Amino acid sequence: MSASTTDSAMPLEPMPDATRAAAGKAKKQPDIVRPYGDTTGDGMVQVSFTLPVPHDKRAEGAALQLAEKMGLKPALLVHAKAMGPDFTFFVVYGSVTHLVDLRDVTVVEREFPLLSPTEVNKAIKSRLRRKLVVVGACIGTDAHTVGIDAILNIKGFAGEKGLEYYREVKVVNLGAQVLVPELVERARAEKADAVMVSQVVTQRDAHIHNTTTMSAAFREAYPAGQVPLLVVGGPRFEEGSAPTLGVDRIFGRGTTPGEVASYLVHALAQPSSRKEKP
């Protein structure tokens, strides 16, 4: 997940006349675009895929046939490698005729400002008057802790320290392959304000199944309105799917600890916050 541009807490300085003039002369971005390879608008793209066939000339022909059906014409096979005796991995390069209308692209905008660690600590202290408790884990059979560790561990990610660095945040990192009942039990024991789950394994939509199972378990275990904030992260979650999965927030690739911390503060500030506890 990549972090969005930071929102300044201070008033913006007026734009100098020279800067404003330069901005006005900036080249207008087109609405309709094509992929770029060797020259502008040539439509060249590179795709990779695996076919369940042994590596031979027939397999390479099948890869080119698939590429043409995908709209790459002409298609050039630039790489083929056997993946065991029964599979072959391909990389194909070619031109597509498809166009992209940027006016039809929709994105989920970040609705909260990015705060510094000092601002996060100050907000938590003033609103909760105690430490914010975060319980994190990789659930199911997922053993990939890189994502959850990047957010929770003090070493952090992308030059930002993890939530363990924030003095007003108590972090309980349960690690990998945690069963959902264990996660619920520990969250209750710690009186968690937020539960963070990382899901990297996505075969057969395991991340979807695990997330919906987890959210249902928390709603069954907690009284209405007292469920901790449920936050999920992973590279394959779709933006805007949080309500469908029963969670409060989804973070994708490139998310930084500061972005997560800022979101927690934002969530605490909501009038309907479920994090206020006696």
Side-chain angles (χ1 to χ4, degrees), residues 27-37 39-45 95-105:
K27 184 178 179 181
K28 183 180 182 299
Q29 291 293 323
D31 293 324
I32 307 296
V33 297
R34 293 185 68 194
Y36 171 92
T39 59
T40 301
D42 60 10
M44 299 300 288
V45 299
S95 177
V96 297
T97 58
H98 307 82
L99 302 176
V100 175
D101 191 338
L102 298 179
R103 294 167 296 186
D104 294 334
V105 176

Side-chain angles (χ1 to χ4, degrees), residues 222-227 272-275:
Y222 281 78
Q226 296 184 30
V227 179
S272 59
S273 171
R274 299 165 298 176
K275 276 65 67 182

Side-chain angles (χ1 to χ4, degrees), residues 63-64 67-68 72-77 92-95:
L64 290 174
E68 288 198 9
L72 277 69
K73 196 170 184 179
L76 176 66
L77 181 63
V92 180
Y93 188 61
S95 177

Side-chain angles (χ1 to χ4, degrees), residues 3-228:
S4 304
T5 306
T6 54
D7 294 337
S8 173
M10 301 297 293
L12 296 175
E13 294 289 338
M15 182 182 292
D17 292 338
T19 304
R20 185 182 297 109
K25 294 179 180 179
K27 184 178 179 181
K28 183 180 182 299
Q29 291 293 323
D31 293 324
I32 307 296
V33 297
R34 293 185 68 194
Y36 171 92
D38 302 315
T39 59
T40 301
D42 60 10
M44 299 300 288
V45 299
Q46 180 173 290
V47 297
S48 62
F49 51 85
T50 300
L51 291 180
V53 292
H55 180 207
D56 54 21
K57 289 295 184 181
R58 184 165 172 265
E60 294 183 358
L64 290 174
Q65 182 184 121
L66 175 61
E68 288 198 9
K69 290 184 176 181
M70 294 170 63
L72 277 69
K73 196 170 184 179
L76 176 66
L77 181 63
V78 296
H79 178 73
K81 182 178 178 60
M83 306 292 287
D86 301 318
F87 297 87
T88 308
F89 174 76
F90 301 96
V91 177
V92 180
Y93 188 61
S95 177
V96 297
T97 58
H98 307 82
L99 302 176
V100 175
D101 191 338
L102 298 179
R103 294 167 296 186
D104 294 334
V105 176
T106 58
V107 296
V108 178
E109 298 287 353
R110 174 169 48 80
E111 73 279 17
F112 54 91
L114 292 181
L115 306 176
S116 68
T118 299
E119 292 171 323
V120 168
N121 287 326
K122 183 178 179 181
I124 294 173
K125 191 172 184 178
S126 63
R127 294 170 188 173
L128 285 186
R129 302 183 184 277
R130 59 170 175 80
K131 287 191 175 184
L132 171 69
V133 181
V134 176
V135 174
C138 296
I139 60 175
T141 59
D142 202 324
H144 300 76
T145 62
V146 174
I148 196 73
D149 288 343
I151 300 300
L152 299 183
N153 286 2
I154 192 170
K155 63 183 179 182
F157 168 73
E160 296 184 6
K161 293 186 182 297
L163 298 189
E164 289 179 346
Y165 172 76
Y166 294 72
R167 67 172 184 271
E168 296 300 328
V169 178
K170 176 185 176 182
V171 173
V172 180
N173 189 347
L174 301 182
Q177 297 183 322
V178 177
L179 298 178
V180 169
E182 295 176 357
L183 178 62
V184 173
E185 182 180 354
R186 189 61 181 273
R188 292 180 60 126
E190 297 288 346
K191 298 182 179 179
D193 298 286
V195 173
M196 297 189 178
V197 167
S198 174
Q199 289 286 269
V200 176
V201 175
T202 59
Q203 285 86 347
R204 298 182 180 180
D205 288 335
H207 60 306
I208 302 296
H209 172 74
N210 290 340
T211 300
T212 53
T213 299
M214 181 268 297
S215 63
F218 270 95
R219 282 170 174 75
E220 182 178 345
Y222 281 78
Q226 296 184 30
V227 179

